[in-house]
Amino acid sequence: RKLFNANISNQTSNMKEVFRSEYRVVTRKNEMRWIEATGIAEFDVEGNLVIMSGCHNDVTLEKAHNNKLFELAYYDEDTHLYNRKMLEVHLDESKKQQQSGKLMFLDFYLLEQLIAIYGFEFSNKVINNGVEIVKSIFDDSVDYYRLSSHKFAVFLRGEFTDLTIKRMIKNILFELEQLQEMMNFIVPVVANMAVICFDYRERLSGAEIIDQSYVALELKDEKQKSNIVFYDESIKNEVKKKLFIKNGIQMALDNEEFFFLYQPIIKSANDEIAGFESLIRWNSQEYGMIYPDDFIESAERNLQIISIGQFALREGCKFIKKYNERNSSDATISINASVVEVVQRDYGDRVLSIIEENCISRSSVIIEITESLMLDHGDEALSQIRKLSCAGVQIALDDFGVGYASLNNILRMPLNEIKIDREIMNEVMIDDNVKRFIKSIIRLAHDNNIAVVSEGIENIEMIAVSKDLDIDYIQGYVYSKPIEEKCALKYMVKDITG
Ligand code: C2E
Ligand code: MG
Ligand code: MG
């Protein structure tokens, strides 16, 4: 009523001709209704109000609808906590109001297991009880968010020491563990946590801060589970680099920052060059040399690996053509292919057309795939691989021994080559059981016309064992590290024993 009256007197004293006002009333049945009043006022020459006319509309439904939309946009449906979008809004607001604070990100990474075992209804009860517990630890000034199915955040405005935060976290975990006993479920309540200082002076948007927190949570994942990472200077750079890598691949492609090194693969029978494996590198202006283990996964996630793969194949074909022309040889080029590439429907055709463009024989190209490819994407991938194999392109199984190698899988694939992983070769050197196992695999491979390559061979002893095991090709630092194209073109096998 106060606001409405103020609105009216504002109207009359400022001689506004059109006005709009919104207010709530309680009906006799004790229902709350929203009213929108719009009106026109007429004033005489001296500014006195002559007449006021208008209408009152019941806008309760519209209002409810807007509220519902607001809720859908900014709240998590199951817990009625704010969602990620609202955290972005709150962070941006805090920045404007020059208020700093602390953000706790909690990733209850086993929640999906809980849902898988107990279903949604029970899991939602657990989550909602958990939320109540956490809320009881803090006061009213704190906001809570559910960012995704198992990621949550708490925003504490104001100053807090790390010690206080650590105590709070300990408290949260302790209380949540009680929940497991209380509700009697078997999935442990564990979380990866990241604590981020929100400093309004840093020119980061809410969305950017949340991005950082996700990377910080992943860092925790890689080190030890169920612990806290404090996002301080020491890991800030690590997180920044990861974010740079995640977001910078397209730019690197555009700026031609990717290039390929070539590592020789040697025939064990006569120490001649059998071929080269192409290995990608990213020469970044910001971070110098970046290795594939740091970016292939990101590139797979956003499908840029498809362009990278085509680039690798084009460059590899050009290189091997040049190499074979110069050296009058028939060396092969091995190209690593990612699952994501191979499951594309036109993968086989594209590989064949790139080989054709470069006028080299199909059998001089070896496509290296991994076992996970066959496990996760059986049929689509297999049909592309078969197409290539039928056309004469060679297929190698990379990193043999580190995955869930099943002989069944291996024999289903049209393989020309198996590459035994470096770690397995290291075990072969010290464990006779592993050696016997690998020996029988090699026999099986040979019986099926499949050649065997040993990877990561670093010394003469490993060469001797490879030869003893009847391995066909050897790859490793003992002969050469991956080298630049111009060195690879004139590479000569060094006399190791001499
Ligand atoms: P990979 O295909 O198994 O390649 C062998 C890795 O072992 C290479 O690491 C190579 O530099 C390293 N290596 C070779 N010999 C030795 C040795 O004697 N000792 C040791 N310690 N290491 C050795 P790199 O170049 O870092 O590549 C890592 C992985 O990244 C590759 O493993 C491959 O899976 C992937 N990758 C590389 N280039 C590409 C590419 O163009 N496309 C795709 N999709 N993946 C690629
Ligand atoms: Mg490889
Ligand atoms: Mg390998």
Side-chain angles (χ1 to χ4, degrees), residues 348-408:
D349 288 333
R350 239 174 9 214
V351 169
L352 292 176
S353 81
I354 293 176
I355 293 175
E356 203 160 311
E357 270 165 36
N358 286 281
C359 308
I360 58 171
S361 73
R362 289 173 177 171
S363 62
S364 61
V365 175
I366 304 178
I367 299 293
E368 293 194 4
I369 54 175
T370 55
E371 286 163 48
S372 64
L373 184 85
M374 293 305 142
L375 285 179
D376 302 339
H377 304 271
D379 291 344
E380 306 104 81
L382 203 56
S383 76
Q384 297 297 321
I385 292 297
R386 287 216 174 102
K387 179 173 211 167
L388 286 176
S389 177
C390 287
V393 175
Q394 298 200 60
I395 308 296
L397 181 68
D398 202 357
D399 303 341
F400 175 82
V402 287
Y404 308 90
S406 102
L407 296 180
N408 191 21

Side-chain angles (χ1 to χ4, degrees), residues 263 277 280-281 292 336 398-399 422 455-456 458 476-477 482:
Q263 186 177 31
E277 176 172 4
I280 194 167
R281 297 290 180 267
N336 291 288
D398 202 357
D399 303 341
R422 177 166 68 91
E455 290 190 290
E458 295 186 346
Y477 292 171

Side-chain angles (χ1 to χ4, degrees), residues 90-255:
H90 283 172
L91 289 172
D92 289 336
E93 278 173 7
S94 288
K95 198 166 75 175
K96 268 191 213 134
Q97 292 159 5
Q98 307 201 335
Q99 177 160 48
S100 297
K102 282 262 157 73
L103 280 159
M104 267 183 213
F105 289 91
L106 301 98
D107 180 4
F108 293 95
Y109 52 88
L110 294 184
L111 257 182
E112 264 153 29
Q113 265 187 34
L114 187 86
I115 295 170
I117 297 173
Y118 295 95
F120 278 109
E121 204 176 318
F122 179 79
S123 306
N124 271 343
K125 267 191 202 141
V126 173
I127 295 169
N128 277 309
N129 286 344
V131 167
E132 287 313 312
I133 287 178
V134 174
K135 281 184 173 172
S136 70
I137 293 174
F138 300 99
D139 61 29
D140 292 346
S141 66
V142 173
D143 280 320
Y144 309 88
Y145 310 81
R146 188 181 196 184
L147 308 174
S148 66
S149 71
H150 50 97
K151 288 197 177 81
F152 294 79
V154 181
F155 185 16
L156 301 124
R157 294 171 174 87
E159 300 288 326
F160 299 87
T161 64
D162 282 357
L163 196 67
T164 317
I165 297 280
K166 269 186 193 149
R167 263 198 221 119
M168 286 172 176
I169 286 176
K170 216 169 145 193
N171 228 343
I172 294 178
L173 286 183
F174 176 78
E175 295 288 343
L176 289 179
E177 270 163 27
Q178 313 295 310
L179 188 67
Q180 192 188 352
E181 256 170 50
M182 232 164 60
M183 297 186 71
N184 197 20
F185 50 86
I186 54 169
V187 182
V189 181
V190 284
N192 289 327
M193 301 188 205
V195 178
I196 294 192
C197 293
F198 171 70
D199 184 345
Y200 69 86
R201 284 162 298 205
E202 284 185 26
R203 277 188 229 106
L204 291 175
S205 69
E208 283 168 327
I209 290 169
I210 298 172
D211 263 358
Q212 281 186 351
S213 76
Y214 275 41
V215 178
L217 282 171
E218 273 169 32
L219 282 185
K220 202 65 239 154
D221 223 357
E222 285 162 18
K223 288 172 188 160
Q224 61 203 109
K225 296 250 167 192
S226 189
N227 222 329
I228 315 164
V229 53
F230 279 86
Y231 186 73
D232 51 21
E233 288 307 317
S234 68
I235 74 154
K236 218 170 206 170
N237 289 335
E238 210 175 324
V239 170
K240 270 200 187 128
K241 183 171 173 187
K242 286 208 162 198
L243 273 176
F244 169 81
I245 289 172
K246 211 170 112 192
N247 303 324
I249 295 173
Q250 189 57 49
M251 182 208 65
L253 271 167
D254 297 344
N255 295 351

Side-chain angles (χ1 to χ4, degrees), residues 260-264 276-278 315-316 319 333 482-483 485 488:
F260 297 88
L261 297 181
Y262 297 97
Q263 186 177 31
F276 294 85
E277 176 172 4
S278 138
E315 293 296 300
F319 163 74
I333 182 72
I483 45 181
E485 175 173 331

Side-chain angles (χ1 to χ4, degrees), residues 299-353:
E300 285 178 335
R301 268 197 220 139
N302 45 34
L303 301 186
Q304 284 144 344
I305 194 72
I306 297 173
S307 315
I308 291 180
Q310 288 175 28
F311 184 38
L313 186 60
R314 269 202 190 95
E315 293 296 300
C317 287
K318 268 193 259 165
F319 163 74
I320 207 64
K321 186 180 162 100
K322 232 188 268 174
Y323 179 88
N324 283 335
E325 278 169 6
R326 275 195 196 189
N327 298 281
S328 321
S329 53
D330 58 354
T332 53
I333 182 72
S334 299
I335 308 283
N336 291 288
S338 141
V339 195
V340 179
E341 296 169 66
V342 180
V343 294
Q344 304 295 313
R345 285 243 173 84
D346 56 349
Y347 177 71
D349 288 333
R350 239 174 9 214
V351 169
L352 292 176
S353 81

